[in-house]
Amino acid sequence: MDWKREGKSLAIIVTVFAACYFLPVDWLQQTERIENALWEALHLARWYAREHVLLCLVPAFFIAGAVGVFVSQTAVMKYLGPKANKVLAYGVASVSGSILAVCSCTILPLFAGIYRMGAGLGPATAFLYSGPAINILAIVLTAAVLGPEMGIARAIGAVSFSIVIGLLMHLFFRREELEKVEAAAGMPEPEVTRPLWQNALFFASMVGILVFANWGRPAEPAGLWQAIYDAKWMITSLFSLALAAILVAWFKVGMGRMLMVAVPTAVLALLLPEYPQVSFVAAAIGLSLLLTTGNDEDGELEEWFDTTWDFAKKILPLLFYGVLIAGALLGRPDHQGLIPSGWVAGLVGGNSLGANLFASVVGAFMYFATLTEVPILQGLLGAGMGKGPALALLLAGPALSLPNMLVIRSVMGTKKTVVFVLLVVVMATLSGLIYGAFFG
Amino acid sequence: MKKIQILGTGCAKCGDLADNAQQAADQLGEEVTIEKVTDLKDIMQFGCMTTPGLAIDGNLVSQGRLLKPDQIAKLLRAAS
């Protein structure tokens, strides 16, 4: 029996069995919870479809795809190689997750690579901890659904605590000799196709579209935020124009073909100013057509679309099920799902040490599919979870799960894995306590 | 006969890459063996850090990219 491979199946079987064994069928039959849960799931799914898919996820997928294609991973890995400056390596490891780890399945190989072939244990664990939390899709969705403070706290918490964890791991195990793999030749030299500043402007224009298209109505209708809110579609259009110009100038998209997309989009925007979504969709479809039907020689535009499509295909179903399950179990804010709000509030309400610790431990062992932690947390928050424990769960959750602990163990051994898990739980608990004290 | 190894922990991309490698070999009419390497330690031995990786006769030729059949065919020809 290969427990490393079968462990996941075993965990699933045992969990499902336990759930059935203890299923409170009689109690469920008497209450209206089941029926409520169905409606809550549907309400939540509709809310996501209306509020988050078009304006938030679609541009985020394009950005994530562009990151995968146009940002040279090799260039980043240079700073994490065996000869890298150690101080710099911690810094790079803690933030590079935002562009390297767009998909959770790439985290573990990179972690193993940094550990065995590159900068070593400290930077590798720093990367492992921060990577899943600061990838671009996770931050965007966290900020859009759970509020900007939570998104920013997640990013800052993940980055700063990853450095602490990396340094502590290095300190604890500094005496251990590591037989490094002598294969570091792996990373080929990056081919420079475009200067950095052009790439920077390219990404800035897309991030601008994403940020301003999702600009929320401020609580008080006055001041700068309201002014931006009133002009948000104007600003979004300007960023779109910038993106169009950049694509024509530096990405070899033909001027004529760009006009064929830009003109209908602009006409729709002027004809239907009440429904900016329509021209937004037109622009997204147009961009997809430009990327797939062009005849660019190096194929990078088509690769951009392929990667984008790949993310959408992989993440949308997961998110869909995640939203349905979160809606059924926890309901929308101020509504009840299957799990009574009282339980949630009792276990992880407030900002006590116990609540934060509990959230961290559960988060560390539970498996969250990419991005599903967001709707689940939204449900938990609505049911009375404190903000501190919510952050604790966000920090401990995606970084660790039972299945990936097994993989980590196979890379760095039992002792280091246990220490790492303990550190993650402690750090997540602390971040939760601190955040809860300020924002709770 | 060339040995193609697909390095990856088992995500969808690795499967696609294996299919594309097979197509590339068919295009060239070349006999190849395709092997999947899924253990992280073994993947490290190739010097591969971003999956999916592609190795021909034990040499890592590409990583972190889902290559199209044409691109793999080019690499196969270059390896002979």
Side-chain angles (χ1 to χ4, degrees):
Chain A
M1 199 61 173
D2 182 357
W3 286 112
K4 245 179 250 164
R5 212 178 44 207
E6 304 298 332
K8 197 170 158 188
S9 318
L10 178 72
I12 293 169
I13 291 172
V14 169
T15 315
V16 172
F17 168 75
C20 293
Y21 192 93
F22 294 109
L23 195 67
V25 180
D26 308 313
W27 174 76
L28 285 174
Q29 220 172 4
Q30 286 158 19
T31 61
E32 292 166 0
R33 285 190 181 278
I34 296 269
E35 203 178 320
N36 264 347
L38 173 70
W39 296 125
E40 285 305 313
L42 295 180
H43 271 298
L44 196 68
R46 184 179 69 177
W47 183 74
Y48 266 83
R50 288 191 177 175
E51 300 292 326
H52 294 303
V53 173
L54 286 184
L55 299 183
C56 179
L57 280 178
V58 169
F61 284 142
F62 275 105
I63 295 176
V67 164
V69 176
F70 298 115
V71 173
S72 158
Q73 301 193 322
T74 329
V76 178
M77 293 311 288
K78 238 185 3 208
Y79 298 102
L80 298 172
K83 295 191 196 91
N85 175 330
K86 292 295 172 223
V87 179
L88 196 63
Y90 280 96
V92 173
S94 65
V95 296
S96 57
S98 59
I99 51 170
L100 286 177
V102 234
C103 156
S104 54
C105 62
T106 59
I107 298 232
L108 288 172
L110 278 169
F111 155 71
I114 299 169
Y115 174 53
R116 309 213 29 147
M117 305 191 292
L121 181 63
T125 39
F127 174 76
L128 182 64
Y129 179 69
S130 75
I134 61 171
N135 87 58
I136 201 150
L137 284 165
I139 296 271
V140 165
L141 199 68
T142 309
V145 174
L146 303 177
E149 320 89 67
M150 189 63 97
I152 293 168
R154 185 182 188 187
I156 292 177
V159 168
S160 48
F161 281 94
S162 74
I163 296 179
V164 176
I165 289 182
L167 285 172
L168 286 175
M169 286 297 283
H170 176 70
L171 202 67
F172 290 156
F173 296 103
R174 68 186 179 283
R175 276 162 211 282
E176 290 201 11
E177 279 294 315
L178 173 73
E179 4 100 51
K180 289 230 173 177
V181 179
E182 294 302 332
M187 282 285 174
E189 277 299 302
E191 320 147 24
V192 179
T193 46
R194 197 170 287 112
L196 189 64
W197 62 275
Q198 291 187 350
N199 265 337
L201 284 179
F202 168 62
F203 280 105
S205 66
M206 287 196 293
V207 172
I209 293 173
L210 176 69
V211 168
F212 287 102
N214 291 289
W215 200 271
R217 186 192 293 275
E220 292 197 16
L224 178 63
W225 298 144
Q226 177 68 31
I228 295 178
Y229 180 75
D230 289 335
K232 71 179 217 172
W233 288 113
M234 206 35 111
I235 301 172
T236 309
S237 314
L238 288 178
F239 275 109
S240 315
L241 281 178
L243 176 62
I246 288 169
L247 285 176
V248 171
W250 301 325
F251 288 78
K252 299 177 211 142
V253 175
M255 182 60 134
R257 296 174 59 240
M258 180 54 85
L259 283 177
M260 274 159 58
V261 171
V263 171
T265 306
V267 169
L268 279 173
L270 293 173
L271 282 181
L272 300 165
E274 301 297 303
Y275 301 99
Q277 288 91 341
V278 177
S279 57
F280 200 86
V281 172
I285 295 173
L287 178 60
S288 312
L289 290 176
L290 282 182
L291 297 186
T292 46
T293 59
N295 46 354
D296 58 323
E297 292 148 29
D298 31 15
E300 55 176 11
L301 290 179
E302 195 172 352
E303 207 181 324
W304 177 18
F305 183 79
D306 287 349
T307 318
T308 304
W309 173 237
D310 218 49
F311 281 128
K313 214 167 51 176
K314 205 174 326 172
I315 288 171
L316 282 175
L318 293 175
L319 197 59
F320 175 67
Y321 295 126
V323 167
L324 282 185
I325 291 170
L329 288 181
L330 299 157
R332 288 169 293 165
D334 303 322
H335 292 72
Q336 293 263 346
L338 274 182
I339 298 178
S341 298
W343 294 11
V344 176
L347 274 175
V348 288
N351 190 39
S352 63
L353 179 63
N356 278 302
L357 186 62
F358 182 77
S360 306
V361 172
V362 170
F365 284 91
M366 207 160 109
Y367 173 72
F368 292 99
T370 318
L371 296 186
T372 51
E373 73 269 10
V374 174
I376 290 172
L377 259 189
Q378 185 196 14
L380 285 169
L381 281 167
M385 184 186 211
K387 287 202 171 157
L391 183 69
L393 189 72
L394 266 185
L395 288 175
L400 275 179
S401 65
L402 204 52
N404 89 3
M405 280 180 206
L406 296 175
V407 182
I408 296 171
R409 203 186 126 235
S410 78
V411 174
M412 60 180 192
T414 310
K415 205 164 94 197
K416 293 195 187 74
T417 308
V418 171
V419 174
F420 177 67
V421 172
L422 286 177
L423 280 175
V424 167
V425 169
V426 171
M427 287 298 161
T429 310
L430 276 179
S431 330
L433 278 173
I434 295 169
Y435 182 71
F438 283 103
F439 295 92
Chain B
M1 192 161 80
K2 287 189 185 120
K3 185 162 99 176
I4 297 181
Q5 283 157 312
I6 309 290
L7 320 174
T9 44
C11 51
K13 274 188 183 173
C14 315
D16 294 346
L17 187 64
D19 292 344
N20 288 355
Q22 186 63 58
Q23 279 180 38
D26 293 347
Q27 264 179 34
L28 296 177
E30 234 182 285
E31 287 268 313
V32 295
T33 52
I34 295 186
E35 181 192 295
K36 283 187 189 172
V37 181
T38 54
D39 192 279
L40 265 184
K41 270 188 193 152
D42 298 339
I43 294 176
M44 289 304 112
Q45 298 297 336
F46 288 88
C48 171
M49 287 171 111
T50 51
T51 55
L54 181 80
I56 299 176
D57 289 337
N59 296 318
L60 185 71
V61 293
S62 152
Q63 58 176 323
R65 297 181 66 181
L66 173 51
L67 297 174
K68 303 231 157 52
D70 295 348
Q71 293 168 307
I72 301 175
K74 231 180 262 171
L75 291 170
L76 271 175
R77 238 176 284 141
S80 54

